[in-house]
């Protein structure tokens, strides 16, 4: 195809957007509203992910060591921890540090605890952070039998619940994402179909004059993509501003937040933006392609 | 040039023959009227030649090509060699007069330079140079039909098919359109025109093929005639 042909395509498609401005606006609004609903849901999903991953970050595994651990055992243990792929980082907590922490937490018993300094009964420990919550139970199993390890402590029921919730949230968000994507596709497809239907006469004229199907299709596809992307950009702006606004409102009421932080817009919005624009482009193009199909059989 | 052999056409789900056993031979450069009452099968005949419809039986040859054998995706290329004019003009409403005519050239990838030269010539021929940048709905019926004719001839077709081109026009305007078609025919283009306008047919004194109930009832040169 010649360059000129593409020039005609763009000329015709901007012309037709202007000429069919009402239908164009309807298409943009249908993309916009479908994506805003999708966007609200995405923001919620991202926040759930953010909160659970923050909770995961706070999880730790305390490996208490036997009182009579030998230097070799200690070295072996450290090598094992260094090599372990699930371990993000670990720190060593000496008897004194353990006592310090305890006396900070239990200030009213400070005097009793002071008496312990001479003959500290608290065990030494490794405090381990893992890459994910899922690794904690496995790590517990593999470490507890090692020489020099007395016992391991972690919030067992809490971790189990968190893992379950994580799985549930992931599956739910996939399901809802698929359903919402389907619904919005249906809405947008039908809006485009009405637009194309309104122009079936023009299409049949073009065919009678000898235009090929692709010659007729391409401007529609370009038009659909432009309207789709326009709708998705508007949706990104709506979601972005609404999210900032909401965060502003909530931040004023920090008492209610109980230490929970929200996913920062700077990390959430780029993902949503890419997803939406690709979505708008593809749905606009594919929607046009499919809805014009019927009218090309002349 | 155009040859129909034993062509029959029934529309889906009807036993009724819209055209039955049609044999016609039209030579290059002829001007032929297809006449007959409403429902006689005139439009069906035109649509068969345009490949808007397929015959139920029989063969249709246009320009030594059996058009019933043309593949779907080649239909646009076949149509580009024909000019078409309809009763309802069929102009693209969101394009100006100039652009409507240029469109027929754009789809065959004519260079912009050639388009810029040819379209004004065609407009001059149909006497609409002063309306080039009007939109179809700003024109009278006669003017719109002249735009359609300009579009029909722009790619130098060997055949122009007109289905009641004067059907929506007053007698005086109709004669203007007929003169235009006659001039185009005089330059060698074959013209087939369906009509039930007796006055026009009588005036032109060309070959007249009369249809009745889907059958050819007469085929001779002269004025309007049918079996009644
Ligand atoms: N799409 C269709 N489906 C079924 N039957 C049809 C269809 N189009 C035409 N017919 C039938 O075919 C016959 C011929 O119709 P056609 O349109 O060719 O007539 P015509 O001579 O052009 O009439 P007019 O002068 O009114 O335009 C008629 O009986 C008509 O009812
Ligand atoms: Mg008819």
């Amino acid at each position: 195809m010649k360059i000129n042909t593409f020039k005609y395509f763009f000329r015709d498609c901007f012309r037709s957007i202007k000429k069919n401005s009402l239908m164009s606006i309807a298409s943009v609004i249908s993309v916009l509203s479908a994506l805003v609903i999708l966007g609200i849901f995405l923001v919620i999903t991202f926040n759930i992910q953010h909160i659970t991953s923050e909770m995961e970050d706070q999880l730790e595994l305390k490996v208490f060591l036997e009182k009579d651990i030998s230097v070799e055992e200690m070295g072996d243990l450290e090598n094992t921890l260094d090599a372990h792929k699930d371990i993000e980082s670990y720190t060593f907590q000496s008897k004194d540090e353990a006592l310090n922490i305890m006396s900070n937490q239990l200030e009213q018993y400070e005097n009793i605890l002071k008496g312990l300094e001479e003959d500290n009964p608290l065990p030494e420990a490794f405090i381990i952070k893992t890459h994910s919550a899922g690794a904690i139970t496995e790590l517990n199993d593999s470490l507890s039998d090692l020489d020099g390890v007395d016992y391991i402590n972690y919030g067992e029921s809490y971790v189990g619940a968190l893992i379950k919730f994580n799985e549930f949230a992931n599956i739910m968000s996939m399901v809802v994402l698929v359903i919402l994507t389907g619904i919005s596709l249906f809405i947008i497809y039908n809006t485009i179909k009405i637009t194309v239907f309104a122009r079936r006469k023009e299409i049949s004229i073009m065919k009678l004059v000898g235009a090929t199907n692709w010659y007729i299709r391409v401007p529609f596809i370009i038009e659909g993509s432009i309207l789709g992307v326009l709708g998705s950009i508007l949706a990104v702006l709506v979601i972005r501003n609404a999210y900032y606004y909401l965060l502003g409102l909530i931040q004023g009421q920090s008492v209610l937040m109980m230490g929970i932080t929200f996913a920062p817009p700077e990390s959430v919005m780029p993902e949503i933006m890419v997803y939406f624009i690709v979505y708008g482009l593809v749905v606009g193009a594919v929607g046009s392609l499919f809805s014009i199909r019927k009218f090309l059989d002349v | 040039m155009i040859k129909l052999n034993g062509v029959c056409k029934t529309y889906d789900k009807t036993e009724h023959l819209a055209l039955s056993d049609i044999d016609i031979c039209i030579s290059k450069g002829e001007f032929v009227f297809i006449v007959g009452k409403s429902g006689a099968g005139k439009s069906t005949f035109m649509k068969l030649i345009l490949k808007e419809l397929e015959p139920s039986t029989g063969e249709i040859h246009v320009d030594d090509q059996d058009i019933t054998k043309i593949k779907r995706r080649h239909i646009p290329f076949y149509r580009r060699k024909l000019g078409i004019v309809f009763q309802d003009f069929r102009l693209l409403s969101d394009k100006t007069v100039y652009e409507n005519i240029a469109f027929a050239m754009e789809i065959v990838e004519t260079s912009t330079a050639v388009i810029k030269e040819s379209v004004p010539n065609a407009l001059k021929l149909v006497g609409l140079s002063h309306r080039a940048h009007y939109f179809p709905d700003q024109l009278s019926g006669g003017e719109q039909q002249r735009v359609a004719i300009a579009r029909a001839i722009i790619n130098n077709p060997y055949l122009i098919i007109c289905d009641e081109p004067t059907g929506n026009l007053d007698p005086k305007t109709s004669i203007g359109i007929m003169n235009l078609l006659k001039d185009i025919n005089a330059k060698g283009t074959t013209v087939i025109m369906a009509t039930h306008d007796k006055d026009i047919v009588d005036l032109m004194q060309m070959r007249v093929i009369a249809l009745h109930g889907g059958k050819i009832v007469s085929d001779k040169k002269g004025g309007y005639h049918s079996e009644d």
Side-chain angles (χ1 to χ4, degrees), chain B residues 42-43 163-164:
Chain B
K42 305 183 294 294
S43 295
D163 194 354
E164 309 202 25

Side-chain angles (χ1 to χ4, degrees), chain A residues 217-251:
Chain A
R217 264 185 214 128
V218 172
F220 273 98
I221 294 172
I222 297 175
E223 186 180 330
S225 319
I226 290 175
L227 296 179
V229 169
L230 203 66
S232 63
I233 290 173
L234 290 178
V236 170
L237 290 179
V238 169
I239 294 288
R240 182 191 168 276
N241 289 327
Y243 193 32
Y244 271 109
Y245 177 73
L246 222 68
L247 285 184
L249 277 188
I250 293 170
Q251 243 126 44

